[in-house]
Amino acid sequence: MFLLLLVLLVCAPCIEGLSAGMFPAITKSVCRSAGHDLQRTQLVRHCVRFFNGFSQDEMPVEETPAPRILITGGLGQLGSGLASLLRKKYGADNVIMSDIVNPPRHVRESGRYIYADILDFKNLQEKVVNEGIDWLIHFSALLSAVGEANVPLAIKVNIEGMHNILEVSKQYKLRVFIPSTIGAFGPTTPRNPTPDLTIQRPQTIYGVAKVHAELMGEYYHQKYGLDFRCLRFPGIISAETPPGGGTTDYSTEIFHDAVTTQRHECFLEHDTRLPMMYIDDCTRATAEVMELPEHRLKQRVYNIQAMSFTPAEIYAEVKKHVPDMEIEYKPDSRQAIADTWPQVLDDTNARLDLGWNHEYDLPKLVTTMLTKIRAQKEAKQRTAAQMEAAAM
Protein backbone atom coordinates (compact mmCIF):
# COMPACT_ATOMS: atom_id res chain seq x y z
CA MET A 1 0.00 0.00 0.00
CA PHE A 2 2.79 2.45 0.86
CA LEU A 3 4.59 1.54 -2.38
CA LEU A 4 1.38 2.39 -4.23
CA LEU A 5 1.24 5.77 -2.55
CA LEU A 6 4.87 6.45 -3.46
CA VAL A 7 4.17 5.61 -7.09
CA LEU A 8 1.13 7.88 -7.05
CA LEU A 9 3.18 10.68 -5.59
CA VAL A 10 5.89 10.37 -8.24
CA CYS A 11 3.34 10.18 -11.00
CA ALA A 12 1.13 12.95 -9.64
CA PRO A 13 1.48 15.23 -12.69
CA CYS A 14 -0.01 12.48 -14.86
CA ILE A 15 -2.89 11.65 -12.55
CA GLU A 16 -6.13 13.56 -12.63
CA GLY A 17 -8.66 11.04 -11.42
CA LEU A 18 -7.66 10.39 -7.82
CA SER A 19 -10.68 11.64 -5.92
CA ALA A 20 -11.32 12.39 -2.28
CA GLY A 21 -13.90 9.64 -2.34
CA MET A 22 -11.06 7.13 -2.56
CA PHE A 23 -9.61 8.32 0.75
CA PRO A 24 -11.82 6.34 3.15
CA ALA A 25 -11.02 3.05 1.43
CA ILE A 26 -7.28 3.83 1.38
CA THR A 27 -7.37 4.88 5.01
CA LYS A 28 -9.15 1.70 6.06
CA SER A 29 -6.65 -0.48 4.23
CA VAL A 30 -3.59 1.25 5.63
CA CYS A 31 -5.04 1.42 9.15
CA ARG A 32 -5.77 -2.29 9.03
CA SER A 33 -2.25 -3.16 7.94
CA ALA A 34 -0.62 -0.72 10.38
CA GLY A 35 -2.63 -1.54 13.44
CA HIS A 36 -4.52 1.80 13.38
CA ASP A 37 -1.25 3.77 13.40
CA LEU A 38 -2.33 7.41 13.36
CA GLN A 39 0.85 8.67 11.72
CA ARG A 40 0.39 6.38 8.72
CA THR A 41 -3.24 7.43 8.43
CA GLN A 42 -2.11 11.05 8.33
CA LEU A 43 0.44 10.19 5.60
CA VAL A 44 -2.37 8.89 3.40
CA ARG A 45 -4.45 11.95 4.15
CA HIS A 46 -1.62 14.29 3.10
CA CYS A 47 -1.01 12.35 -0.13
CA VAL A 48 -4.64 12.49 -1.19
CA ARG A 49 -4.83 16.17 -0.27
CA PHE A 50 -1.77 16.77 -2.48
CA PHE A 51 -3.43 15.15 -5.50
CA ASN A 52 -6.73 16.98 -5.10
CA GLY A 53 -5.59 20.38 -3.87
CA PHE A 54 -7.69 20.20 -0.72
CA SER A 55 -6.87 22.42 2.23
CA GLN A 56 -6.60 20.90 5.72
CA ASP A 57 -10.14 22.02 6.58
CA GLU A 58 -11.67 20.89 3.29
CA MET A 59 -10.23 17.36 3.38
CA PRO A 60 -12.91 14.73 4.12
CA VAL A 61 -12.08 13.04 7.42
CA GLU A 62 -13.02 9.50 8.41
CA GLU A 63 -12.77 8.93 12.13
CA THR A 64 -11.09 5.78 13.42
CA PRO A 65 -13.79 3.55 14.97
CA ALA A 66 -13.79 3.43 18.75
CA PRO A 67 -12.09 0.30 20.12
CA ARG A 68 -14.19 -2.45 21.64
CA ILE A 69 -12.76 -3.01 25.13
CA LEU A 70 -13.16 -5.95 27.53
CA ILE A 71 -12.08 -5.55 31.18
CA THR A 72 -11.61 -8.78 33.16
CA GLY A 73 -11.88 -8.70 36.94
CA GLY A 74 -14.10 -5.68 36.46
CA LEU A 75 -15.55 -5.75 39.98
CA GLY A 76 -12.15 -5.31 41.62
CA GLN A 77 -10.55 -2.09 42.77
CA LEU A 78 -9.57 -0.82 39.33
CA GLY A 79 -12.26 -2.10 36.96
CA SER A 80 -15.19 0.22 37.66
CA GLY A 81 -13.12 3.40 37.64
CA LEU A 82 -11.36 2.54 34.41
CA ALA A 83 -14.62 1.50 32.76
CA SER A 84 -16.18 4.83 33.69
CA LEU A 85 -13.23 6.77 32.24
CA LEU A 86 -13.13 4.78 29.00
CA ARG A 87 -16.91 4.95 28.51
CA LYS A 88 -16.72 8.75 28.56
CA LYS A 89 -14.21 8.56 25.70
CA TYR A 90 -15.50 5.64 23.63
CA GLY A 91 -19.16 5.20 24.57
CA ALA A 92 -20.87 2.95 27.10
CA ASP A 93 -21.54 0.16 24.61
CA ASN A 94 -17.88 -0.14 23.61
CA VAL A 95 -16.51 -0.80 27.11
CA ILE A 96 -17.56 -4.11 28.62
CA MET A 97 -16.91 -5.03 32.22
CA SER A 98 -16.69 -8.71 33.13
CA ASP A 99 -16.26 -10.95 36.16
CA ILE A 100 -17.57 -14.25 37.48
CA VAL A 101 -20.09 -12.97 40.05
CA ASN A 102 -23.38 -11.12 39.90
CA PRO A 103 -22.63 -7.39 39.94
CA PRO A 104 -24.34 -4.74 42.06
CA ARG A 105 -27.22 -2.89 40.44
CA HIS A 106 -25.22 0.32 39.88
CA VAL A 107 -22.64 -1.64 37.85
CA ARG A 108 -25.30 -3.08 35.57
CA GLU A 109 -26.92 0.31 35.17
CA SER A 110 -23.63 2.02 34.30
CA GLY A 111 -22.95 -0.01 31.13
CA ARG A 112 -22.34 -3.43 29.61
CA TYR A 113 -21.45 -6.27 31.99
CA ILE A 114 -20.94 -9.92 31.04
CA TYR A 115 -19.80 -13.16 32.64
CA ALA A 116 -16.25 -14.07 31.62
CA ASP A 117 -14.15 -16.78 33.28
CA ILE A 118 -10.42 -16.36 32.58
CA LEU A 119 -9.84 -20.01 33.51
CA ASP A 120 -12.17 -21.14 30.70
CA PHE A 121 -10.35 -20.53 27.41
CA LYS A 122 -13.36 -21.38 25.24
CA ASN A 123 -15.48 -18.94 27.21
CA LEU A 124 -12.89 -16.23 26.61
CA GLN A 125 -12.82 -16.99 22.89
CA GLU A 126 -16.60 -16.70 22.70
CA LYS A 127 -16.62 -13.34 24.47
CA VAL A 128 -13.84 -11.90 22.31
CA VAL A 129 -15.46 -13.06 19.04
CA ASN A 130 -19.09 -12.33 19.90
CA GLU A 131 -18.31 -8.88 21.28
CA GLY A 132 -15.80 -7.93 18.56
CA ILE A 133 -13.11 -7.07 21.13
CA ASP A 134 -10.06 -4.98 20.11
CA TRP A 135 -8.47 -4.22 23.50
CA LEU A 136 -8.29 -6.60 26.45
CA ILE A 137 -7.51 -5.16 29.89
CA HIS A 138 -6.76 -7.91 32.39
CA PHE A 139 -7.38 -7.09 36.05
CA SER A 140 -8.37 -10.53 37.39
CA ALA A 141 -5.94 -11.54 40.15
CA LEU A 142 -5.62 -12.56 43.79
CA LEU A 143 -3.71 -9.93 45.78
CA SER A 144 -0.57 -10.54 47.84
CA ALA A 145 -1.87 -11.52 51.27
CA VAL A 146 -4.83 -13.44 49.84
CA GLY A 147 -2.51 -15.33 47.47
CA GLU A 148 -0.20 -16.37 50.29
CA ALA A 149 -3.20 -17.83 52.12
CA ASN A 150 -4.22 -19.93 49.10
CA VAL A 151 -1.23 -20.60 46.84
CA PRO A 152 -2.89 -23.24 44.60
CA LEU A 153 -5.75 -20.86 43.80
CA ALA A 154 -3.29 -18.01 43.19
CA ILE A 155 -1.41 -20.20 40.69
CA LYS A 156 -4.65 -20.99 38.83
CA VAL A 157 -5.95 -17.42 38.70
CA ASN A 158 -2.75 -15.38 38.46
CA ILE A 159 -0.71 -17.69 36.22
CA GLU A 160 -3.00 -20.08 34.33
CA GLY A 161 -5.64 -17.40 33.81
CA MET A 162 -3.00 -14.98 32.55
CA HIS A 163 -1.80 -17.65 30.06
CA ASN A 164 -5.32 -17.78 28.64
CA ILE A 165 -5.40 -13.99 28.33
CA LEU A 166 -2.13 -13.93 26.37
CA GLU A 167 -3.16 -16.80 24.13
CA VAL A 168 -6.57 -15.38 23.24
CA SER A 169 -4.94 -11.98 22.62
CA LYS A 170 -2.42 -13.58 20.29
CA GLN A 171 -5.08 -15.60 18.48
CA TYR A 172 -7.31 -12.59 17.80
CA LYS A 173 -4.55 -9.96 17.50
CA LEU A 174 -5.74 -7.87 20.42
CA ARG A 175 -4.00 -5.00 22.18
CA VAL A 176 -3.61 -6.38 25.72
CA PHE A 177 -2.82 -4.70 29.03
CA ILE A 178 -1.69 -6.77 32.03
CA PRO A 179 -0.68 -4.71 35.08
CA SER A 180 2.31 -5.56 37.20
CA THR A 181 3.13 -4.24 40.65
CA ILE A 182 5.74 -3.41 43.26
CA GLY A 183 5.13 -7.00 44.38
CA ALA A 184 7.20 -8.13 41.39
CA PHE A 185 10.36 -7.13 43.26
CA GLY A 186 12.17 -8.86 46.11
CA PRO A 187 14.63 -8.32 48.97
CA THR A 188 17.67 -8.19 46.67
CA THR A 189 16.14 -5.42 44.53
CA PRO A 190 17.50 -1.88 44.94
CA ARG A 191 14.71 -0.26 46.96
CA ASN A 192 15.25 3.48 46.66
CA PRO A 193 14.93 4.07 43.80
CA THR A 194 13.90 0.89 41.98
CA PRO A 195 14.59 1.11 38.20
CA ASP A 196 12.59 -0.55 35.42
CA LEU A 197 15.25 -3.13 34.69
CA THR A 198 16.78 -4.67 37.82
CA ILE A 199 16.95 -7.80 39.97
CA GLN A 200 13.44 -8.92 40.91
CA ARG A 201 13.33 -12.29 42.74
CA PRO A 202 9.99 -11.80 44.63
CA GLN A 203 9.14 -13.97 47.63
CA THR A 204 5.33 -14.18 47.29
CA ILE A 205 3.29 -16.18 44.80
CA TYR A 206 1.64 -12.90 43.83
CA GLY A 207 5.02 -11.42 42.94
CA VAL A 208 6.24 -14.56 41.18
CA ALA A 209 3.10 -14.53 39.04
CA LYS A 210 3.62 -10.88 38.16
CA VAL A 211 7.23 -11.43 37.04
CA HIS A 212 5.99 -14.40 35.02
CA ALA A 213 3.35 -12.20 33.38
CA GLU A 214 5.93 -9.53 32.50
CA LEU A 215 8.28 -12.06 30.91
CA MET A 216 5.56 -13.97 29.09
CA GLY A 217 4.11 -10.74 27.71
CA GLU A 218 7.51 -9.65 26.44
CA TYR A 219 8.07 -13.11 24.96
CA TYR A 220 4.72 -13.07 23.13
CA HIS A 221 5.58 -9.62 21.81
CA GLN A 222 9.00 -10.71 20.54
CA LYS A 223 7.89 -14.07 19.11
CA TYR A 224 4.38 -13.33 17.85
CA GLY A 225 4.23 -9.54 17.60
CA LEU A 226 1.59 -9.32 20.34
CA ASP A 227 0.85 -5.72 21.31
CA PHE A 228 1.47 -6.30 25.03
CA ARG A 229 1.53 -3.34 27.41
CA CYS A 230 2.30 -3.32 31.13
CA LEU A 231 2.63 -0.77 33.93
CA ARG A 232 4.06 -1.67 37.32
CA PHE A 233 1.59 -0.11 39.75
CA PRO A 234 2.42 1.04 43.27
CA GLY A 235 -0.15 0.71 46.06
CA ILE A 236 -3.50 2.02 44.74
CA ILE A 237 -5.75 4.07 47.01
CA SER A 238 -9.48 4.34 46.34
CA ALA A 239 -12.63 5.37 48.21
CA GLU A 240 -14.91 3.43 45.88
CA THR A 241 -13.97 -0.15 46.73
CA PRO A 242 -13.16 -1.74 50.11
CA PRO A 243 -9.62 -3.01 50.79
CA GLY A 244 -9.04 -6.42 49.22
CA GLY A 245 -6.29 -8.05 51.27
CA GLY A 246 -3.26 -6.24 49.88
CA THR A 247 -0.11 -5.24 51.71
CA THR A 248 -0.68 -1.54 50.98
CA ASP A 249 -4.34 -1.57 52.07
CA TYR A 250 -3.66 0.30 55.32
CA SER A 251 -3.43 3.42 53.14
CA THR A 252 -7.14 3.04 52.33
CA GLU A 253 -8.29 1.69 55.70
CA ILE A 254 -6.91 4.69 57.58
CA PHE A 255 -9.38 7.02 55.84
CA HIS A 256 -12.40 4.88 56.71
CA ASP A 257 -11.23 4.73 60.31
CA ALA A 258 -10.67 8.49 60.39
CA VAL A 259 -14.28 9.13 59.38
CA THR A 260 -15.85 6.47 61.64
CA THR A 261 -13.84 5.71 64.81
CA GLN A 262 -10.94 8.20 64.65
CA ARG A 263 -8.65 5.31 65.55
CA HIS A 264 -6.55 3.20 63.19
CA GLU A 265 -4.65 -0.01 63.90
CA CYS A 266 -1.89 -0.24 61.30
CA PHE A 267 -0.51 -3.62 60.24
CA LEU A 268 2.81 -2.08 59.15
CA GLU A 269 5.56 -0.36 61.13
CA HIS A 270 5.45 3.44 61.30
CA ASP A 271 8.52 3.90 59.06
CA THR A 272 7.61 1.41 56.29
CA ARG A 273 7.94 3.48 53.11
CA LEU A 274 6.09 2.30 50.00
CA PRO A 275 5.20 3.92 46.65
CA MET A 276 1.54 4.87 46.25
CA MET A 277 -0.97 6.36 43.81
CA TYR A 278 -4.54 7.63 43.88
CA ILE A 279 -6.88 5.58 41.71
CA ASP A 280 -7.74 8.41 39.31
CA ASP A 281 -4.06 8.69 38.38
CA CYS A 282 -3.92 4.91 37.97
CA THR A 283 -6.91 4.63 35.65
CA ARG A 284 -5.77 7.63 33.63
CA ALA A 285 -2.29 6.11 33.22
CA THR A 286 -3.84 2.85 32.03
CA ALA A 287 -6.05 4.60 29.49
CA GLU A 288 -3.16 6.73 28.24
CA VAL A 289 -0.77 3.81 27.73
CA MET A 290 -3.46 1.87 25.84
CA GLU A 291 -4.14 4.83 23.54
CA LEU A 292 -0.53 5.48 22.56
CA PRO A 293 0.64 4.40 19.09
CA GLU A 294 2.82 1.35 19.45
CA HIS A 295 6.00 3.04 18.21
CA ARG A 296 5.98 5.27 21.32
CA LEU A 297 6.68 2.28 23.56
CA LYS A 298 10.43 1.77 23.83
CA GLN A 299 9.88 -1.07 26.27
CA ARG A 300 6.90 -3.20 27.24
CA VAL A 301 6.99 -2.83 31.04
CA TYR A 302 7.21 0.53 32.83
CA ASN A 303 7.32 1.63 36.47
CA ILE A 304 4.89 4.38 37.47
CA GLN A 305 4.21 6.07 40.80
CA ALA A 306 2.82 9.33 42.17
CA MET A 307 4.17 9.56 45.72
CA SER A 308 5.96 7.56 48.40
CA PHE A 309 5.14 7.73 52.11
CA THR A 310 5.19 5.87 55.43
CA PRO A 311 2.24 5.13 57.76
CA ALA A 312 3.53 7.87 60.07
CA GLU A 313 3.55 10.42 57.25
CA ILE A 314 0.03 9.69 56.03
CA TYR A 315 -1.20 9.68 59.64
CA ALA A 316 0.29 13.13 60.19
CA GLU A 317 -1.48 14.43 57.07
CA VAL A 318 -4.82 12.87 58.08
CA LYS A 319 -4.49 14.35 61.57
CA LYS A 320 -4.46 17.85 60.04
CA HIS A 321 -8.09 17.19 59.04
CA VAL A 322 -9.07 14.94 61.97
CA PRO A 323 -7.27 16.31 65.05
CA ASP A 324 -8.58 13.53 67.34
CA MET A 325 -7.20 10.80 65.08
CA GLU A 326 -5.11 8.13 66.84
CA ILE A 327 -2.95 5.35 65.44
CA GLU A 328 -1.47 2.14 66.87
CA TYR A 329 1.12 0.05 65.06
CA LYS A 330 0.62 -3.72 65.19
CA PRO A 331 2.62 -5.29 62.34
CA ASP A 332 1.34 -8.63 61.03
CA SER A 333 2.54 -11.01 58.31
CA ARG A 334 2.26 -8.27 55.72
CA GLN A 335 5.22 -6.46 57.26
CA ALA A 336 7.58 -9.16 56.00
CA ILE A 337 6.15 -8.72 52.49
CA ALA A 338 6.45 -4.92 52.58
CA ASP A 339 10.08 -5.17 53.70
CA THR A 340 10.96 -6.80 50.35
CA TRP A 341 9.20 -4.21 48.18
CA PRO A 342 10.50 -0.93 46.68
CA GLN A 343 10.36 2.25 48.72
CA VAL A 344 10.43 4.48 45.63
CA LEU A 345 9.81 3.47 42.01
CA ASP A 346 11.94 5.19 39.38
CA ASP A 347 9.39 6.05 36.68
CA THR A 348 11.66 8.30 34.62
CA ASN A 349 11.20 6.19 31.47
CA ALA A 350 7.41 6.32 31.70
CA ARG A 351 7.53 10.10 32.06
CA LEU A 352 9.85 10.44 29.06
CA ASP A 353 8.41 7.80 26.71
CA LEU A 354 4.72 7.83 27.63
CA GLY A 355 4.27 11.40 28.83
CA TRP A 356 3.15 10.09 32.23
CA ASN A 357 2.63 12.65 34.99
CA HIS A 358 0.67 12.28 38.23
CA GLU A 359 -1.92 14.78 39.47
CA TYR A 360 -2.34 13.70 43.11
CA ASP A 361 0.30 14.27 45.80
CA LEU A 362 -0.15 13.33 49.48
CA PRO A 363 -2.06 16.46 50.63
CA LYS A 364 -4.45 16.31 47.66
CA LEU A 365 -4.91 12.55 48.17
CA VAL A 366 -5.86 12.97 51.84
CA THR A 367 -8.30 15.81 51.15
CA THR A 368 -9.96 13.88 48.32
CA MET A 369 -10.27 10.61 50.24
CA LEU A 370 -11.73 12.18 53.38
CA THR A 371 -14.23 14.21 51.34
CA LYS A 372 -15.44 11.15 49.44
CA ILE A 373 -15.68 8.82 52.43
CA ARG A 374 -17.52 11.44 54.49
CA ALA A 375 -19.99 11.85 51.62
CA GLN A 376 -20.48 8.07 51.50
CA LYS A 377 -21.12 7.96 55.24
CA GLU A 378 -23.67 10.78 55.05
CA ALA A 379 -25.44 9.08 52.13
CA LYS A 380 -25.73 5.83 54.12
CA GLN A 381 -27.09 7.71 57.12
CA ARG A 382 -29.72 9.44 54.96
CA THR A 383 -30.75 6.12 53.42
CA ALA A 384 -31.01 4.48 56.84
CA ALA A 385 -33.11 7.37 58.16
CA GLN A 386 -35.43 7.20 55.16
CA MET A 387 -35.89 3.45 55.60
CA GLU A 388 -36.58 3.90 59.30
CA ALA A 389 -39.14 6.60 58.58
CA ALA A 390 -40.82 4.45 55.96
CA ALA A 391 -41.10 1.56 58.40
CA MET A 392 -42.99 3.66 60.97
Side-chain angles (χ1 to χ4, degrees):
M1 177 58 66
F2 292 110
L3 181 58
L4 172 61
L5 289 172
L6 181 61
V7 171
L8 291 172
L9 186 60
V10 172
C11 300
C14 304
I15 299 176
E16 299 178 354
L18 183 60
S19 68
M22 292 179 62
F23 176 73
I26 296 175
T27 302
K28 282 185 178 180
S29 176
V30 175
C31 284
R32 190 178 300 115
S33 65
H36 303 281
D37 186 322
L38 180 59
Q39 287 188 333
R40 296 186 184 182
T41 304
Q42 290 172 337
L43 172 62
V44 180
R45 195 183 310 281
H46 290 314
C47 288
V48 177
R49 188 184 303 118
F50 173 82
F51 294 136
N52 290 276
F54 284 108
S55 70
Q56 179 75 25
D57 295 333
E58 294 171 334
M59 185 62 209
V61 174
E62 178 174 320
E63 295 183 0
T64 302
R68 297 276 293 171
I69 305 167
L70 176 65
I71 302 174
T72 69
L75 297 184
Q77 184 186 31
L78 304 180
S80 296
L82 180 62
S84 177
L85 176 62
L86 293 174
R87 283 167 175 163
K88 291 176 183 176
K89 293 187 175 187
Y90 301 118
D93 290 340
N94 287 319
V95 182
I96 304 167
M97 292 177 62
S98 72
D99 217 309
I100 58 172
V101 297
N102 199 29
R105 172 181 286 184
H106 74 271
V107 172
R108 285 199 180 277
E109 292 176 348
S110 65
R112 295 284 311 285
Y113 177 92
I114 62 175
Y115 173 91
D117 183 358
I118 64 168
L119 298 179
D120 184 341
F121 186 69
K122 182 175 174 56
N123 176 257
L124 278 179
Q125 289 177 304
E126 291 174 351
K127 303 308 180 188
V128 168
V129 172
N130 292 344
E131 299 291 345
I133 299 302
D134 302 301
W135 295 1
L136 181 49
I137 298 173
H138 177 52
F139 283 153
S140 295
L142 297 187
L143 297 181
S144 55
V146 177
E148 289 304 289
N150 193 338
V151 172
L153 181 61
I155 291 173
K156 286 184 67 67
V157 174
N158 294 9
I159 296 179
E160 295 176 18
M162 182 274 301
H163 287 172
N164 286 339
I165 293 296
L166 286 177
E167 192 60 31
V168 77
S169 298
K170 181 197 78 173
Q171 183 175 357
Y172 295 105
K173 296 180 173 55
L174 308 182
R175 177 173 296 182
V176 60
F177 177 84
I178 302 178
S180 190
T181 165
I182 53 175
F185 299 105
T188 54
T189 300
R191 300 186 67 203
N192 188 357
T194 300
D196 285 322
L197 185 60
T198 186
I199 298 168
Q200 295 186 253
R201 310 290 294 179
Q203 294 188 337
T204 64
I205 188 60
Y206 175 68
V208 169
K210 287 300 185 183
V211 174
H212 181 68
E214 292 178 14
L215 295 175
M216 287 295 291
E218 290 179 340
Y219 174 78
Y220 267 63
H221 170 68
Q222 293 162 6
K223 186 173 180 63
Y224 303 113
L226 176 66
D227 189 355
F228 165 76
R229 304 175 181 215
C230 176
L231 297 175
R232 289 196 190 110
F233 291 147
I236 304 301
I237 302 170
S238 169
E240 307 305 326
T241 53
T247 301
T248 60
D249 279 354
Y250 85 88
S251 59
T252 297
E253 293 171 358
I254 192 172
F255 294 108
H256 290 277
D257 291 342
V259 171
T260 55
T261 65
Q262 289 80 56
R263 187 180 184 281
H264 176 64
E265 185 176 291
C266 185
F267 54 75
L268 296 181
E269 291 283 9
H270 72 285
D271 59 351
T272 304
R273 181 172 300 280
L274 291 169
M276 300 284 185
M277 178 183 292
Y278 183 55
I279 191 166
D280 284 8
D281 275 340
C282 177
T283 54
R284 179 174 55 82
T286 303
E288 287 175 355
V289 77
M290 286 299 285
E291 292 165 347
L292 283 175
E294 193 170 6
H295 70 83
R296 286 280 302 276
L297 278 70
K298 297 180 180 178
Q299 56 199 55
R300 291 288 146 177
V301 181
Y302 287 90
N303 291 341
I304 60 167
Q305 77 160 45
M307 67 199 89
S308 182
F309 56 75
T310 66
E313 289 169 351
I314 192 173
Y315 166 64
E317 193 66 34
V318 170
K319 196 171 176 64
K320 294 177 183 178
H321 300 261
V322 187
D324 295 334
M325 183 71 180
E326 298 179 358
I327 191 168
E328 183 178 3
Y329 299 100
K330 288 188 175 180
D332 64 14
S333 60
R334 286 170 281 193
Q335 181 67 51
I337 295 174
D339 287 341
T340 70
W341 284 1
Q343 296 177 329
V344 176
L345 286 175
D346 181 355
D347 60 359
T348 302
N349 290 330
R351 293 177 186 271
L352 291 175
D353 297 351
L354 312 180
W356 155 246
N357 192 24
H358 66 279
E359 294 181 358
Y360 287 81
D361 57 10
L362 181 57
K364 185 176 181 180
L365 165 74
V366 170
T367 300
T368 302
M369 287 290 290
L370 289 174
T371 300
K372 288 196 170 189
I373 293 174
R374 282 169 176 157
Q376 291 170 1
K377 180 183 177 183
E378 292 169 1
K380 288 180 181 179
Q381 290 173 339
R382 286 195 300 270
T383 300
Q386 292 169 356
M387 293 177 64
E388 185 177 347
M392 291 181 178

